[in-house]
């Protein structure tokens, strides 16, 4: 009987050790998984930061190009354009600022045309 008790005690102790090892292995796996997730989150944040920095520099470059374009194509310069050039600019350009300048110039010319037309009609009416 004593032998049985000793064997039972050894078996229970071995079972406890096995369960303890399984718990430790499980905890170690969970820690490793948590570390992996933390590293992935840090990598993602770094990637987002780099991406935002690149976008910011691209946006700055685009803004600089727009400013240069606006200086080159200011209102005085666009007044020298022929109507066909103005029309082609409006129909093909994607630059919002250029379109705005072209629209203003078109309306200025239209207003001048209507004023000229009105003067002609008044002269004809007087005769």
């Amino acid at each position: 009987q004593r032998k049985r008790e000793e064997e039972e005690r050894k078996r229970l102790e071995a079972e406890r050790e096995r369960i303890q090892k399984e718990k430790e292995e499980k905890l170690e796996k969970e820690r490793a998984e948590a570390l992996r997730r933390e590293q992935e989150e840090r990598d993602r944040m770094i990637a987002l930061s780099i991406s935002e920095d690149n976008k910011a520099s691209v946006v700055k470059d685009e803004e600089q190009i727009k400013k240069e374009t606006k200086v080159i194509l200011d209102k005085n310069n666009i007044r020298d354009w022929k109507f066909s050039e103005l029309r082609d600019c409006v129909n093909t350009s994607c630059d919002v600022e250029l379109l705005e300048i072209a629209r203003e110039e078109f309306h200025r010319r239209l207003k001048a045309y209507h004023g000229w037309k009105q003067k002609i009609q008044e002269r004809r009416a007087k005769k």
Side-chain angles (χ1 to χ4, degrees), residues 43-55:
D43 291 347
R44 188 180 70 77
M45 295 301 285
I46 290 171
L48 284 173
S49 176
I50 291 170
S51 174
E52 288 173 2
D53 288 346
N54 287 342
K55 285 180 184 176

Side-chain angles (χ1 to χ4, degrees), residues 2-45:
R2 208 173 168 155
K3 201 175 186 181
R4 274 192 221 153
E5 288 175 2
E6 187 66 28
E7 286 176 5
E8 185 67 22
R9 188 183 60 76
K10 285 182 180 180
R11 188 183 63 76
L12 288 174
E13 193 174 310
E15 185 67 23
R16 283 188 201 129
E17 286 178 12
R18 185 185 61 79
I19 291 172
Q20 185 66 27
K21 279 184 180 179
E22 286 176 1
K23 285 181 182 179
E24 288 174 2
E25 288 173 1
K26 185 177 179 182
L27 281 173
E28 189 61 35
K29 284 181 183 178
E30 287 174 0
R31 285 185 195 131
E33 182 66 21
L35 286 174
R36 186 187 62 78
R37 277 193 231 123
E38 285 179 25
Q39 185 63 43
E40 284 180 358
E41 182 64 22
R42 280 187 242 130
D43 291 347
R44 188 180 70 77
M45 295 301 285

Side-chain angles (χ1 to χ4, degrees), residues 21 28 47 52 55 57 62 70-71 77 82 86 101 115 120-121:
K21 279 184 180 179
E28 189 61 35
E52 288 173 2
K55 285 180 184 176
S57 66
E62 288 176 3
K70 190 172 184 178
V71 168
N77 190 8
K82 297 175 188 169
L86 191 62
I101 292 170
I120 297 296
Q121 287 177 348

